[in-house]
Structure formats: structure tokens, C-alpha cells
Amino acid sequence: MFDNIQVQKVGKLLSQPKNIALVSHKNPDGDTISASLAMMHYLRQKGHSISILVPNQYPEFYNWIPGCQEFIIFDKDAALVREKVENADIIFCIDFNRLSRTGNMATDLSKSKAVKIVIDHHLEPSEEFDYYFTETDTSSTGELVYEFIEAFGDKKMINKDIAIAIYVAIMTDTGSFSYSCDHARTYQIASELIGNGVEVSLVHKLVYDTFTETRLRLLGFAISERMLVWKEFHAAVIYLDKKDLDRFNYQVGDTEGVVNYPLSIADVNLSVLLTEKDRLIRISFRSKGNFNVNRLASAHFDGGGHKNASGGTSALTIDETIGKLKEVIQHYKEELDYKISL
């Protein structure tokens, strides 16, 4: 899977103890959080000094994953993050393909003289890194971390903590194995992780059955009061402005997964979630079948990601963004007119 020359070169770098920073992307999700934790547990076994640096707050329902208490969050302690970046010999960039995805941390990372290694499954990585362990046709960066460990001959080091972290990464980035998981290899790895101590039903409960009452009410409100269905385009949009989020005491992670719900409508092939945060409209795109939302996000909303799951932003208002979105989607009308079948 990975280039043998890069494996050999990075193996040499890791042959002696190093100061290593593991960096996640802004607005961290289950994949970047868990893949970073798996790498932390693995690299510490090899004698390295590890720091995990996170741009901003992550969802609290991941706090149970072993090692979460060690995250250093830039928004809370920028000075310490900068110190760790400055002292790093190696920086692993986990689950993102360009430094700009780290938000306010990007400037410090770009200035760093540390060796930069990317482990990621997004399309079109930038040329900012020294070594690339990337594969777009895989379920998650967590799965790539498993492949990384195996490529270095260290599969025996996968203990229960590593297994749990990798499993959470795969589970959350595939919607509990409902998309982006069409390869037997994903299930082979999941089976081995279970063999290493992952309790599947318990892990699922800890991630998905920990809603607050306000989060559940926000979900109901979003679907009932803030969902537009554009039947002529086989598309649906859910929009939540700042007042909506404040009304339901929004916490980081409360809108995670909301964008997937409209895709359960039989004739909807594109789902879009708009949320008003940080004076911008954050946009999440999801599709089913062959429609490429990465192309849509990158061409019109300064974003990107995967074929069926991407993100973007808009500096317009919610209403203006909805208008722009409807205008843009008209150009994809024929592409969105299809039915899912075997």
C-alpha cells in the first residue's frame, strides 16, 4: 500500500527517540482524534516523546477514549502548542491534506523545520509535507494508521488502547460501516481489532448513545423546521443559524451526523448542512451513489474532501448561501438524477 522507499526512510527517522507532535485538523472529528491517539500509543511504545496538538475543542463524547486527557488545544493554550511545535523533530499530520486545515495553527506549522509526515485519506494533498502515507480509497485515516503500523512490522504492538482508537476512527468515518467501506480489507482490520479487545456494542454506545437532551431536540428541530427538500434536484438542505444553535445550547459535536439524515429520503442523492459559526457558514456535503461532492465543494465553496463527503465555507449570510447553493446545484441537475441500484 505504501511506498517502500518512504517506509525505509521514515523507519530510519523513527529508529532513535524523537520529539514528535501529532496534529489534528480544525473542528476535530472521530477519525482525526482517534487516529492521533492510536499513533500516540504506538509511537510511545517505540520510545518517542509524544504531544497531541488540536486546533480547537473536540466533541466531549469522545472523552472516554484512552489518552484524550493528553490533548493540548491551541484555542486554550496557544503558547504551549507553539512550544511543542518549535521543539518537534517530527510532525505527523493526521487526517488532513494541507496545513491550512489546522486553522490558527497553520502559520506555526508552516514555519517549523521539523520533518512533516502526512497520514491521510483525502483527495489532492498539498506539497507541504516531506513524506506521504496517503490513500484515498480507504475508509478512514484510522485504517491507514493500522496499515502504517503493519508496514513497519509492528503489528504485535497493537494493544487494546490502539485497537479501540482505530476502531472508533473507522466506525465514525463510515457512519457505523454504512458508507466508504466497500473493501474487504476494512472488515478484516475491524475483525483483528475486535480480536485485540474492542467491545463493539460498548464502543458504539459510548459514541452514539450519549446525546444530551438539547442535542436530540436540536436534531428534531433541524429536520422538522430547517430542512428544505428540492425534489427537482434530488437534493436537501438543512440550515441552522446562530440563534438556532444558541436556542438549543449548542456544544461542539452536536451537529455531527445531522447532514446524513436527508439521504434516508429515497430520491435525495445530495444532502447539505449549513451552520453559522465563527462569522462564517460552515457547509457539510454528503452524497450517495456516484455524485462527487468533492468537486462541488472545491469548485464553489473553497472546500473539498472525499467523493461522497466533503466540506466548505461561505462568507455570505445563511439566506444568501442557500440562494447560491440552489443556483450552483442547477448546473448539476442531470448528474443528480439517478437511482441507487445493484
Side-chain angles (χ1 to χ4, degrees):
M1 168 175 280
F2 299 131
D3 180 83
N4 286 333
I5 294 176
Q6 293 211 62
V7 170
Q8 291 172 13
K9 288 183 177 180
V10 172
K12 189 174 181 179
L13 283 173
L14 296 175
S15 64
Q16 297 294 327
K18 297 287 195 304
N19 288 325
I20 297 177
L22 306 174
V23 179
S24 78
H25 59 70
K26 187 179 179 181
N27 303 317
D29 58 10
D31 193 18
T32 192
I33 288 170
S34 301
S36 296
L37 288 170
M39 284 294 290
M40 178 191 78
H41 293 303
Y42 164 60
L43 291 170
R44 278 192 177 157
Q45 288 186 68
K46 294 178 75 68
H48 301 290
S49 177
I50 308 298
S51 302
I52 301 187
L53 312 180
V54 183
N56 59 338
Q57 183 61 45
Y58 61 91
E60 290 187 0
F61 51 81
Y62 292 119
N63 269 337
W64 61 273
I65 304 173
C68 266
Q69 69 278 3
E70 298 199 38
F71 286 140
I72 305 173
I73 300 173
F74 183 86
D75 280 359
K76 294 182 178 179
D77 197 343
L80 182 56
V81 168
R82 289 188 172 116
E83 177 186 322
K84 296 296 184 180
V85 170
E86 184 177 347
N87 293 332
D89 302 307
I90 300 172
I91 295 173
F92 277 93
C93 300
I94 310 292
D95 194 42
F96 60 93
N97 59 5
R98 56 194 67 242
L99 295 180
S100 61
R101 290 284 285 112
T102 63
N104 291 335
M105 287 173 56
T107 300
D108 295 290
L109 291 170
S110 64
K111 290 179 180 178
S112 171
K113 302 301 182 182
V115 174
K116 297 181 182 70
I117 303 171
V118 60
I119 305 178
D120 183 51
H121 67 141
H122 294 90
L123 297 167
E124 302 170 354
S126 70
E127 298 180 357
E128 300 168 286
F129 310 101
D130 298 296
Y131 297 100
Y132 294 77
F133 293 86
T134 60
E135 173 57 59
T136 59
D137 195 19
T138 195
S139 72
S140 57
T141 296
E143 182 173 333
L144 290 178
V145 167
Y146 181 98
E147 301 286 14
F148 182 94
I149 294 171
E150 186 173 69
F152 287 88
D154 292 328
K155 189 174 170 181
K156 62 184 179 298
M157 290 186 176
I158 298 179
N159 56 26
K160 186 175 180 179
D161 286 350
I162 293 174
I164 288 172
I166 294 176
Y167 188 88
V168 171
I170 296 173
M171 181 184 74
T172 55
D173 235 35
T174 61
S176 293
F177 298 89
S178 63
Y179 51 80
S180 300
C181 54
D182 289 336
H183 300 289
R185 179 62 174 162
T186 303
Y187 298 91
Q188 291 168 356
I189 290 172
S191 176
E192 294 187 22
L193 297 173
I194 293 168
N196 279 315
V198 174
E199 299 174 69
V200 172
S201 59
L202 177 59
V203 168
H204 190 278
K205 286 182 174 66
L206 288 169
V207 173
Y208 294 113
D209 296 342
T210 56
F211 276 35
T212 61
E213 178 183 344
T214 52
R215 181 183 176 188
L216 189 61
R217 291 188 181 279
L218 175 61
L219 171 61
F221 173 81
I223 294 172
S224 175
E225 304 297 327
R226 294 291 186 262
M227 183 171 70
L228 307 172
V229 178
W230 297 335
K231 293 182 179 180
E232 67 272 31
F233 303 128
H234 302 276
V237 179
I238 292 177
Y239 61 97
L240 295 165
D241 63 23
K242 190 176 184 305
K243 289 182 180 179
D244 295 331
L245 298 177
D246 289 345
R247 173 182 173 185
F248 292 95
N249 190 31
Y250 171 81
Q251 303 297 311
V252 173
D254 280 357
T255 56
E256 193 164 307
V258 172
V259 68
N260 297 314
Y261 282 91
L263 291 180
S264 62
I265 301 173
D267 292 329
V268 169
N269 294 324
L270 169 65
S271 175
V272 185
L273 173 66
L274 309 178
T275 50
E276 186 179 16
K277 298 175 185 176
D278 304 324
R279 298 181 182 178
L280 286 174
I281 307 302
R282 286 182 53 200
I283 311 174
S284 295
F285 298 92
R286 296 292 185 274
S287 67
K288 57 191 180 188
N290 291 322
F291 187 74
N292 189 334
V293 291
N294 175 70
R295 186 158 53 91
L296 173 63
S298 60
H300 304 284
F301 295 98
D302 192 28
H306 306 288
K307 176 183 174 183
N308 295 115
S310 290
T313 58
S314 169
L316 304 173
T317 66
I318 282 272
D319 289 340
E320 289 169 340
T321 302
I322 291 172
K324 177 181 176 180
L325 187 63
K326 192 167 189 177
E327 180 180 341
V328 165
I329 289 177
Q330 292 184 46
H331 300 292
Y332 298 89
K333 183 176 180 179
E334 291 186 7
E335 292 182 49
L336 284 164
D337 186 9
Y338 58 85
K339 291 188 179 295
I340 303 296
S341 62
L342 290 175

